Coordinates of all heavy atoms in Angstrom, one line a residue:
M1 N -35.3 -103.6 45.3 CA -35.4 -103.0 44.0 C -35.1 -101.5 44.1 O -35.5 -100.8 44.9 CB -36.8 -103.1 43.4 CG -37.0 -104.3 42.5 SD -35.8 -104.3 41.1 CE -36.5 -103.0 40.1
N2 N -34.2 -101.0 43.2 CA -34.1 -99.6 43.1 C -34.7 -99.0 41.9 O -34.1 -98.7 40.9 CB -32.6 -99.2 43.3 CG -31.7 -100.1 42.5 OD1 -32.1 -101.2 42.2 ND2 -30.5 -99.7 42.2
S3 N -36.0 -99.0 41.9 CA -36.7 -98.3 40.8 C -36.9 -96.9 41.2 O -37.1 -96.5 42.4 CB -38.1 -99.0 40.5 OG -38.8 -99.2 41.7
C4 N -36.9 -96.0 40.2 CA -36.9 -94.6 40.3 C -38.2 -94.1 41.0 O -39.3 -94.6 40.7 CB -36.7 -94.0 38.9 SG -36.8 -92.2 38.9
T5 N -38.1 -93.2 41.9 CA -39.2 -92.6 42.6 C -40.1 -91.8 41.7 O -41.3 -91.6 41.9 CB -38.8 -91.7 43.8 OG1 -37.9 -90.7 43.2 CG2 -38.1 -92.4 44.9
W6 N -39.6 -91.4 40.5 CA -40.3 -90.6 39.6 C -41.0 -91.4 38.5 O -42.2 -91.3 38.2 CB -39.5 -89.5 39.0 CG -40.2 -88.6 38.0 CD1 -40.2 -88.6 36.7 CD2 -41.1 -87.5 38.4 NE1 -41.0 -87.7 36.2 CE2 -41.6 -87.0 37.2 CE3 -41.5 -87.0 39.6 CZ2 -42.5 -86.0 37.1 CZ3 -42.5 -86.0 39.6 CH2 -42.9 -85.4 38.4
C7 N -40.1 -92.3 37.8 CA -40.6 -93.0 36.6 C -40.8 -94.5 36.8 O -41.3 -95.1 35.9 CB -39.7 -92.7 35.4 SG -38.1 -93.6 35.6
D8 N -40.4 -95.0 38.0 CA -40.5 -96.4 38.3 C -39.6 -97.4 37.5 O -39.7 -98.6 37.6 CB -42.0 -96.9 38.1 CG -42.8 -96.7 39.4 OD1 -42.1 -96.5 40.4 OD2 -44.0 -96.8 39.3
E9 N -38.7 -96.8 36.6 CA -37.8 -97.6 35.9 C -36.5 -97.9 36.8 O -36.2 -97.0 37.6 CB -37.4 -97.0 34.6 CG -38.5 -96.9 33.6 CD -38.1 -96.2 32.2 OE1 -36.9 -96.4 31.9 OE2 -38.9 -95.6 31.6
P10 N -35.8 -99.0 36.6 CA -34.6 -99.3 37.4 C -33.6 -98.2 37.2 O -33.4 -97.7 36.1 CB -34.1 -100.6 36.9 CG -35.1 -101.1 36.0 CD -36.1 -100.1 35.6
V11 N -32.9 -97.8 38.3 CA -31.9 -96.8 38.3 C -30.5 -97.6 38.3 O -30.2 -98.2 39.2 CB -31.9 -95.9 39.5 CG1 -30.8 -94.8 39.4 CG2 -33.3 -95.1 39.5
E12 N -29.8 -97.6 37.1 CA -28.5 -98.2 37.0 C -27.4 -97.4 37.7 O -27.6 -96.2 37.8 CB -28.2 -98.4 35.5 CG -29.2 -99.1 34.7 CD -29.4 -100.6 35.1 OE1 -28.4 -101.1 35.7 OE2 -30.4 -101.2 34.7
P13 N -26.3 -98.0 38.1 CA -25.2 -97.3 38.7 C -24.8 -96.2 37.7 O -24.7 -96.4 36.5 CB -24.1 -98.3 38.8 CG -24.8 -99.6 38.9 CD -26.1 -99.5 38.1
G14 N -24.5 -95.0 38.2 CA -24.1 -93.8 37.4 C -25.3 -93.0 36.9 O -25.1 -91.9 36.4
Q15 N -26.6 -93.5 37.1 CA -27.7 -92.7 36.7 C -28.4 -92.0 37.8 O -29.3 -91.3 37.6 CB -28.8 -93.6 36.0 CG -28.3 -94.3 34.8 CD -29.3 -95.2 34.2 OE1 -30.2 -95.7 34.9 NE2 -29.2 -95.5 32.9
Q16 N -27.9 -92.2 39.0 CA -28.5 -91.7 40.2 C -28.2 -90.2 40.3 O -27.1 -89.7 40.2 CB -28.0 -92.4 41.5 CG -28.3 -91.8 42.8 CD -29.8 -91.9 43.1 OE1 -30.5 -92.8 42.8 NE2 -30.3 -90.9 43.8
H17 N -29.3 -89.4 40.6 CA -29.2 -88.0 40.9 C -28.5 -87.8 42.2 O -29.0 -88.3 43.2 CB -30.5 -87.3 40.8 CG -30.5 -85.8 40.7 ND1 -29.8 -85.0 41.7 CD2 -30.9 -84.9 39.8 CE1 -29.9 -83.8 41.4 NE2 -30.6 -83.7 40.2
P18 N -27.4 -87.1 42.3 CA -26.7 -87.0 43.6 C -27.4 -86.3 44.7 O -27.1 -86.5 45.9 CB -25.4 -86.2 43.2 CG -25.7 -85.5 41.9 CD -26.7 -86.4 41.2
D19 N -28.4 -85.5 44.4 CA -29.1 -84.7 45.4 C -30.3 -85.5 46.0 O -31.0 -85.0 46.9 CB -29.6 -83.4 44.9 CG -28.5 -82.5 44.5 OD1 -27.4 -82.7 45.0 OD2 -28.7 -81.5 43.8
F20 N -30.5 -86.7 45.5 CA -31.7 -87.5 46.0 C -31.3 -88.7 46.8 O -30.4 -89.4 46.4 CB -32.6 -87.9 44.8 CG -33.4 -86.8 44.3 CD1 -32.8 -85.8 43.5 CD2 -34.8 -86.7 44.5 CE1 -33.5 -84.8 42.9 CE2 -35.5 -85.7 44.0 CZ -34.9 -84.7 43.2
A21 N -31.8 -88.9 48.0 CA -31.5 -90.0 48.9 C -32.2 -91.3 48.3 O -31.6 -92.4 48.4 CB -32.0 -89.8 50.3
Q22 N -33.4 -91.2 47.8 CA -34.1 -92.3 47.2 C -33.6 -92.5 45.7 O -33.1 -91.6 45.1 CB -35.6 -92.0 47.2 CG -36.2 -91.7 48.5 CD -36.1 -92.9 49.4 OE1 -36.3 -94.1 49.0 NE2 -35.8 -92.7 50.7
P23 N -33.7 -93.8 45.2 CA -33.4 -94.0 43.8 C -34.1 -93.1 42.9 O -35.3 -93.1 42.8 CB -33.8 -95.5 43.6 CG -33.9 -96.1 44.9 CD -34.3 -95.0 45.9
T24 N -33.4 -92.2 42.2 CA -34.0 -91.3 41.2 C -33.0 -91.0 40.1 O -31.8 -90.7 40.4 CB -34.2 -89.9 42.0 OG1 -35.0 -90.2 43.1 CG2 -35.0 -89.0 41.1
H25 N -33.4 -91.1 38.8 CA -32.5 -90.8 37.7 C -32.2 -89.3 37.7 O -32.9 -88.5 38.2 CB -33.2 -91.1 36.4 CG -33.5 -92.6 36.2 ND1 -34.8 -93.1 36.1 CD2 -32.7 -93.6 35.9 CE1 -34.8 -94.4 35.9 NE2 -33.5 -94.7 35.8
I26 N -31.0 -89.0 37.1 CA -30.6 -87.6 37.0 C -31.7 -86.8 36.4 O -32.1 -85.7 36.9 CB -29.3 -87.5 36.2 CG1 -28.1 -88.1 37.0 CG2 -29.0 -86.1 35.9 CD1 -26.9 -88.4 36.2
E27 N -32.2 -87.3 35.2 CA -33.2 -86.5 34.5 C -34.5 -86.4 35.3 O -35.2 -85.4 35.3 CB -33.5 -87.0 33.1 CG -33.9 -88.5 33.0 CD -32.8 -89.5 33.0 OE1 -31.7 -89.1 33.4 OE2 -33.0 -90.6 32.5
C28 N -34.8 -87.5 36.0 CA -36.1 -87.5 36.8 C -36.0 -86.6 38.0 O -37.0 -85.9 38.3 CB -36.4 -89.0 37.2 SG -36.8 -90.0 35.8
G29 N -34.8 -86.5 38.6 CA -34.6 -85.6 39.7 C -34.8 -84.2 39.2 O -35.4 -83.4 39.9
F30 N -34.3 -83.9 38.0 CA -34.4 -82.6 37.5 C -35.9 -82.3 37.2 O -36.4 -81.2 37.5 CB -33.6 -82.4 36.2 CG -34.0 -81.1 35.5 CD1 -33.4 -79.9 36.0 CD2 -35.0 -81.0 34.5 CE1 -33.8 -78.7 35.4 CE2 -35.3 -79.8 34.0 CZ -34.8 -78.7 34.4
R31 N -36.6 -83.2 36.6 CA -38.0 -83.1 36.2 C -38.8 -82.8 37.5 O -39.8 -82.0 37.5 CB -38.5 -84.3 35.4 CG -40.0 -84.4 35.2 CD -40.5 -83.2 34.3 NE -41.9 -83.2 34.2 CZ -42.8 -82.7 35.1 NH1 -42.3 -82.2 36.2 NH2 -44.1 -82.8 34.9
A32 N -38.5 -83.6 38.6 CA -39.3 -83.5 39.8 C -39.1 -82.1 40.4 O -40.1 -81.5 41.0 CB -38.8 -84.5 40.8
V33 N -37.9 -81.5 40.3 CA -37.7 -80.2 40.9 C -37.9 -79.0 39.9 O -38.5 -78.0 40.2 CB -36.2 -80.1 41.4 CG1 -35.9 -78.7 41.9 CG2 -36.0 -81.1 42.5
G34 N -37.5 -79.2 38.6 CA -37.5 -78.2 37.6 C -38.8 -78.0 36.8 O -39.0 -77.0 36.2
G35 N -39.6 -79.1 36.8 CA -40.9 -79.0 36.1 C -40.8 -79.5 34.7 O -39.8 -80.0 34.2
S36 N -42.0 -79.5 34.0 CA -42.1 -80.1 32.7 C -41.5 -79.2 31.6 O -41.0 -78.1 31.9 CB -43.6 -80.2 32.4 OG -44.2 -78.9 32.3
V37 N -41.5 -79.7 30.4 CA -41.0 -79.0 29.2 C -41.7 -77.6 29.1 O -41.1 -76.6 29.0 CB -41.1 -79.8 27.9 CG1 -40.8 -78.9 26.7 CG2 -40.2 -81.0 27.9
A38 N -43.0 -77.7 29.2 CA -43.9 -76.5 29.1 C -43.5 -75.5 30.2 O -43.5 -74.3 30.0 CB -45.3 -76.9 29.2
H39 N -43.2 -76.0 31.4 CA -42.9 -75.1 32.5 C -41.5 -74.4 32.2 O -41.4 -73.2 32.4 CB -42.8 -75.9 33.8 CG -42.5 -75.0 35.0 ND1 -43.4 -74.2 35.6 CD2 -41.3 -74.8 35.7 CE1 -42.8 -73.5 36.6 NE2 -41.6 -73.9 36.7
V40 N -40.6 -75.2 31.8 CA -39.2 -74.7 31.5 C -39.3 -73.6 30.4 O -38.6 -72.6 30.5 CB -38.3 -75.8 31.1 CG1 -37.0 -75.3 30.5 CG2 -38.0 -76.7 32.2
E41 N -40.2 -73.8 29.4 CA -40.3 -72.9 28.3 C -41.4 -71.8 28.6 O -41.8 -71.1 27.7 CB -40.7 -73.7 27.1 CG -39.5 -74.6 26.6 CD -39.8 -75.4 25.4 OE1 -41.0 -75.5 25.0 OE2 -38.8 -75.8 24.8
H42 N -41.9 -71.8 29.8 CA -42.9 -70.8 30.3 C -44.2 -70.8 29.5 O -44.7 -69.8 29.2 CB -42.2 -69.4 30.2 CG -41.1 -69.2 31.2 ND1 -40.5 -68.0 31.5 CD2 -40.4 -70.1 31.9 CE1 -39.5 -68.1 32.4 NE2 -39.4 -69.4 32.6
R43 N -44.6 -72.0 29.1 CA -45.9 -72.2 28.4 C -47.0 -72.8 29.3 O -48.1 -72.9 28.8 CB -45.7 -73.1 27.2 CG -44.8 -72.5 26.1 CD -44.8 -73.4 24.8 NE -44.0 -74.5 24.9 CZ -44.4 -75.8 25.0 NH1 -45.6 -76.0 25.0 NH2 -43.5 -76.8 25.2
C44 N -46.6 -73.1 30.5 CA -47.6 -73.8 31.4 C -48.5 -72.8 32.1 O -48.3 -71.6 32.0 CB -46.8 -74.7 32.4 SG -45.9 -73.7 33.5
S45 N -49.4 -73.3 32.9 CA -50.3 -72.4 33.6 C -49.6 -71.5 34.7 O -50.2 -70.6 35.1 CB -51.4 -73.3 34.3 OG -50.8 -74.2 35.2
C46 N -48.4 -71.8 35.0 CA -47.6 -70.9 35.9 C -47.4 -69.6 35.3 O -47.3 -68.5 35.9 CB -46.3 -71.5 36.3 SG -46.3 -73.1 37.0
Y47 N -47.3 -69.6 33.9 CA -46.9 -68.4 33.2 C -48.1 -67.9 32.3 O -48.2 -66.7 32.0 CB -45.7 -68.6 32.3 CG -44.5 -69.0 33.1 CD1 -44.1 -70.3 33.3 CD2 -43.7 -68.0 33.7 CE1 -43.0 -70.7 34.1 CE2 -42.6 -68.4 34.5 CZ -42.3 -69.7 34.7 OH -41.2 -70.0 35.4
V48 N -48.8 -68.8 31.8 CA -49.9 -68.5 30.8 C -51.2 -68.9 31.5 O -51.5 -70.1 31.6 CB -49.8 -69.3 29.5 CG1 -50.9 -68.9 28.5 CG2 -48.4 -69.0 28.9
P49 N -52.1 -67.9 31.9 CA -53.3 -68.3 32.6 C -54.2 -69.2 31.7 O -54.4 -68.9 30.5 CB -54.0 -66.9 32.8 CG -52.9 -65.9 32.7 CD -51.8 -66.5 31.8
G50 N -54.7 -70.3 32.3 CA -55.5 -71.2 31.6 C -54.8 -72.2 30.7 O -55.4 -73.1 30.2
S51 N -53.5 -72.2 30.7 CA -52.7 -73.1 29.8 C -52.8 -74.5 30.4 O -52.8 -74.7 31.7 CB -51.3 -72.7 29.7 OG -50.5 -73.7 29.1
V52 N -53.0 -75.5 29.6 CA -53.0 -76.9 30.1 C -51.7 -77.6 29.6 O -51.6 -78.9 29.6 CB -54.2 -77.7 29.6 CG1 -55.5 -77.1 30.3 CG2 -54.4 -77.6 28.1
E53 N -50.7 -76.9 29.1 CA -49.5 -77.5 28.6 C -48.8 -78.2 29.8 O -48.7 -77.6 30.9 CB -48.6 -76.4 28.0 CG -49.1 -75.7 26.8 CD -48.8 -76.4 25.5 OE1 -48.1 -77.5 25.6 OE2 -49.1 -75.9 24.5
D54 N -48.3 -79.4 29.6 CA -47.5 -80.1 30.6 C -46.5 -80.9 29.9 O -45.9 -80.5 28.9 CB -48.5 -80.8 31.5 CG -47.8 -81.2 32.8 OD1 -46.7 -80.7 33.1 OD2 -48.4 -82.0 33.6
D55 N -46.2 -82.1 30.4 CA -45.3 -83.0 29.7 C -45.8 -83.3 28.3 O -47.0 -83.4 28.1 CB -45.2 -84.4 30.5 CG -44.3 -84.3 31.7 OD1 -43.3 -83.5 31.6 OD2 -44.7 -84.9 32.7
P56 N -44.9 -83.5 27.3 CA -45.4 -83.8 25.9 C -46.2 -85.1 25.9 O -45.8 -86.0 26.6 CB -44.1 -83.9 25.2 CG -43.0 -83.3 26.0 CD -43.5 -83.4 27.4
P57 N -47.3 -85.1 25.2 CA -48.1 -86.4 25.1 C -47.3 -87.5 24.5 O -46.5 -87.3 23.6 CB -49.3 -85.9 24.3 CG -48.9 -84.8 23.5 CD -47.8 -84.1 24.3
G58 N -47.6 -88.7 24.9 CA -47.1 -89.9 24.2 C -45.7 -90.3 24.7 O -45.1 -91.3 24.2
L59 N -45.1 -89.6 25.7 CA -43.8 -90.0 26.2 C -44.0 -90.7 27.6 O -45.0 -90.4 28.3 CB -43.0 -88.8 26.4 CG -42.6 -87.9 25.2 CD1 -41.6 -86.8 25.7 CD2 -42.0 -88.7 24.1
T60 N -43.1 -91.6 27.9 CA -43.1 -92.2 29.2 C -42.6 -91.1 30.2 O -42.1 -90.1 29.8 CB -42.1 -93.4 29.3 OG1 -40.8 -92.9 29.1 CG2 -42.4 -94.4 28.3
K61 N -42.8 -91.3 31.5 CA -42.4 -90.3 32.4 C -40.9 -90.0 32.3 O -40.5 -88.9 32.5 CB -42.7 -90.8 33.9 CG -44.2 -90.8 34.2 CD -44.4 -90.9 35.7 CE -44.4 -89.5 36.3 NZ -44.9 -89.5 37.7
R62 N -40.1 -91.1 32.0 CA -38.7 -90.9 32.0 C -38.3 -90.1 30.7 O -37.4 -89.3 30.7 CB -38.0 -92.2 32.0 CG -36.5 -92.0 32.1 CD -35.7 -93.2 32.5 NE -34.3 -92.9 32.5 CZ -33.4 -93.8 32.3 NH1 -33.7 -95.0 32.1 NH2 -32.1 -93.4 32.3
E63 N -39.0 -90.5 29.5 CA -38.7 -89.7 28.3 C -39.1 -88.3 28.5 O -38.4 -87.4 28.0 CB -39.5 -90.4 27.1 CG -38.9 -91.7 26.7 CD -39.9 -92.4 25.7 OE1 -41.1 -92.1 25.7 OE2 -39.4 -93.3 25.1
A64 N -40.2 -88.0 29.1 CA -40.6 -86.6 29.4 C -39.6 -85.9 30.3 O -39.3 -84.7 30.1 CB -42.0 -86.6 30.0
A65 N -39.0 -86.6 31.2 CA -38.0 -86.0 32.1 C -36.8 -85.6 31.3 O -36.2 -84.6 31.4 CB -37.6 -87.0 33.2
K66 N -36.4 -86.5 30.4 CA -35.2 -86.2 29.5 C -35.5 -85.0 28.6 O -34.7 -84.2 28.4 CB -34.9 -87.4 28.6 CG -34.2 -88.5 29.4 CD -33.9 -89.7 28.5 CE -33.2 -90.8 29.2 NZ -33.2 -92.1 28.5
A67 N -36.7 -85.0 28.1 CA -37.1 -83.8 27.2 C -37.1 -82.5 28.0 O -36.7 -81.5 27.5 CB -38.6 -84.1 26.7
A68 N -37.5 -82.6 29.3 CA -37.5 -81.4 30.2 C -36.0 -80.9 30.4 O -35.7 -79.8 30.4 CB -38.2 -81.6 31.5
L69 N -35.1 -81.9 30.6 CA -33.7 -81.6 30.8 C -33.1 -81.0 29.6 O -32.4 -80.0 29.6 CB -33.0 -82.9 31.1 CG -31.6 -82.8 31.8 CD1 -31.6 -81.9 33.0 CD2 -31.1 -84.2 32.1
R70 N -33.5 -81.5 28.4 CA -33.0 -80.9 27.1 C -33.6 -79.5 26.9 O -32.9 -78.6 26.5 CB -33.4 -81.7 25.9 CG -32.5 -82.9 25.7 CD -32.7 -83.5 24.3 NE -34.1 -83.9 24.0 CZ -34.5 -85.2 24.3 NH1 -33.7 -86.1 24.8 NH2 -35.8 -85.5 24.1
A71 N -34.9 -79.3 27.3 CA -35.5 -78.0 27.1 C -34.8 -77.0 28.0 O -34.5 -75.8 27.7 CB -37.0 -78.1 27.5
F72 N -34.4 -77.4 29.2 CA -33.7 -76.6 30.2 C -32.4 -76.1 29.6 O -32.0 -75.0 29.7 CB -33.6 -77.3 31.5 CG -32.9 -76.4 32.6 CD1 -33.6 -75.3 33.1 CD2 -31.7 -76.7 33.0 CE1 -33.0 -74.6 34.1 CE2 -31.1 -75.9 34.0 CZ -31.7 -74.9 34.5
A73 N -31.6 -77.1 29.1 CA -30.3 -76.8 28.5 C -30.5 -75.8 27.4 O -29.7 -74.8 27.2 CB -29.7 -78.1 28.0
R74 N -31.6 -75.9 26.6 CA -31.8 -75.0 25.4 C -32.1 -73.6 26.0 O -31.5 -72.6 25.5 CB -33.0 -75.5 24.7 CG -33.0 -75.4 23.2 CD -33.9 -76.2 22.4 NE -35.2 -76.4 23.1 CZ -35.9 -77.6 23.2 NH1 -35.3 -78.7 22.8 NH2 -37.0 -77.6 23.8
V75 N -32.9 -73.5 27.0 CA -33.3 -72.2 27.5 C -32.1 -71.5 28.1 O -31.8 -70.3 28.0 CB -34.4 -72.3 28.6 CG1 -34.6 -71.1 29.4 CG2 -35.7 -72.7 27.9
R76 N -31.3 -72.3 28.8 CA -30.1 -71.8 29.5 C -29.1 -71.2 28.4 O -28.5 -70.2 28.6 CB -29.4 -72.9 30.3 CG -28.6 -72.3 31.4 CD -28.2 -73.3 32.5 NE -27.8 -74.6 31.9 CZ -27.5 -75.7 32.5 NH1 -27.6 -75.6 33.8 NH2 -27.2 -76.8 31.9
R77 N -29.0 -71.9 27.3 CA -28.1 -71.5 26.2 C -28.6 -70.2 25.7 O -27.8 -69.2 25.4 CB -28.0 -72.5 25.1 CG -26.7 -73.2 24.9 CD -26.5 -73.9 23.6 NE -27.7 -74.6 23.1 CZ -28.0 -75.8 23.4 NH1 -27.3 -76.5 24.2 NH2 -29.1 -76.4 22.9
R78 N -29.9 -70.1 25.5 CA -30.5 -68.9 24.9 C -30.2 -67.7 25.9 O -29.9 -66.6 25.4 CB -32.0 -69.1 24.7 CG -32.6 -68.3 23.6 CD -34.1 -68.6 23.5 NE -34.4 -70.0 23.2 CZ -35.5 -70.6 23.6 NH1 -36.3 -70.0 24.4 NH2 -35.7 -71.9 23.3
M79 N -30.4 -67.9 27.2 CA -30.2 -66.9 28.2 C -28.7 -66.4 28.2 O -28.4 -65.2 28.3 CB -30.6 -67.3 29.5 CG -32.1 -67.3 29.7 SD -32.8 -67.8 31.3 CE -31.5 -68.7 32.1
A80 N -27.8 -67.4 28.0 CA -26.4 -67.1 28.0 C -26.0 -66.2 26.8 O -25.3 -65.2 26.9 CB -25.5 -68.3 28.0
M81 N -26.7 -66.5 25.7 CA -26.4 -65.8 24.4 C -27.0 -64.4 24.6 O -26.4 -63.4 24.2 CB -27.1 -66.5 23.3 CG -26.1 -67.2 22.4 SD -26.7 -68.6 21.5 CE -28.3 -68.1 20.9
A82 N -28.2 -64.2 25.2 CA -28.8 -62.9 25.4 C -27.9 -62.0 26.3 O -27.8 -60.8 26.0 CB -30.2 -63.1 26.0
R83 N -27.3 -62.6 27.3 CA -26.4 -61.8 28.1 C -25.2 -61.3 27.4 O -24.7 -60.3 27.7 CB -25.9 -62.7 29.3 CG -26.7 -62.5 30.6 CD -25.9 -62.9 31.8 NE -25.5 -64.3 31.7 CZ -26.3 -65.4 32.0 NH1 -27.5 -65.2 32.4 NH2 -25.8 -66.6 31.9
N84 N -24.7 -62.1 26.4 CA -23.4 -61.8 25.7 C -23.7 -60.7 24.7 O -22.7 -60.1 24.2 CB -22.8 -63.0 25.1 CG -22.2 -63.9 26.2 OD1 -22.0 -63.5 27.3 ND2 -22.1 -65.2 25.8
N85 N -24.9 -60.5 24.3 CA -25.2 -59.5 23.2 C -25.3 -58.1 23.8 O -25.9 -57.9 24.8 CB -26.5 -59.9 22.5 CG -26.2 -61.1 21.5 OD1 -25.1 -61.4 21.2 ND2 -27.3 -61.8 21.2
Ligands
LIG101 ZN1 -36.5 -92.1 36.5
LIG102 ZN1 -45.4 -74.6 35.5

């Protein structure tokens, strides 16, 4: 079985994160290394003392991983825009 090391869902061909030797989805590999949505947006306890923000509630681990990947793309766009101004 090649179920993902992060979310336990099957990893189909083309979904494998190239930097991981074990079966891991692209989004799950990012989530494992890059952190939760709250972390990407600097709302987690790494940035805000006492914060309990983490993965959004009600999502599966894989959905939360995709959300973190989207949040990362959003933050990166905002930073690119800030540089250009
Ligand atoms: Zn996964
Ligand atoms: Zn964090």
Side-chain angles (χ1 to χ4, degrees):
M1 261 311 281
N2 37 341
S3 46
C4 176
T5 52
W6 181 259
C7 71
D8 271 344
E9 291 180 32
V11 180
E12 306 290 341
Q15 297 178 338
Q16 169 68 32
H17 193 301
D19 293 344
F20 284 75
Q22 301 296 321
T24 307
H25 295 112
I26 291 167
E27 60 272 22
C28 294
F30 171 80
R31 171 63 184 83
V33 174
S36 65
V37 171
H39 181 77
V40 168
E41 294 180 342
H42 294 192
R43 289 187 284 111
C44 68
S45 56
C46 307
Y47 300 95
V48 182
S51 171
V52 292
E53 298 270 0
D54 198 7
D55 282 323
L59 299 185
T60 66
K61 290 195 83 169
R62 187 162 179 210
E63 287 169 344
K66 285 179 181 167
L69 195 53
R70 277 197 301 272
F72 182 68
R74 217 161 39 227
V75 167
R76 204 164 43 181
R77 246 195 326 270
R78 208 180 298 147
M79 280 178 346
M81 254 149 47
R83 261 201 305 277
N84 290 338
N85 285 342

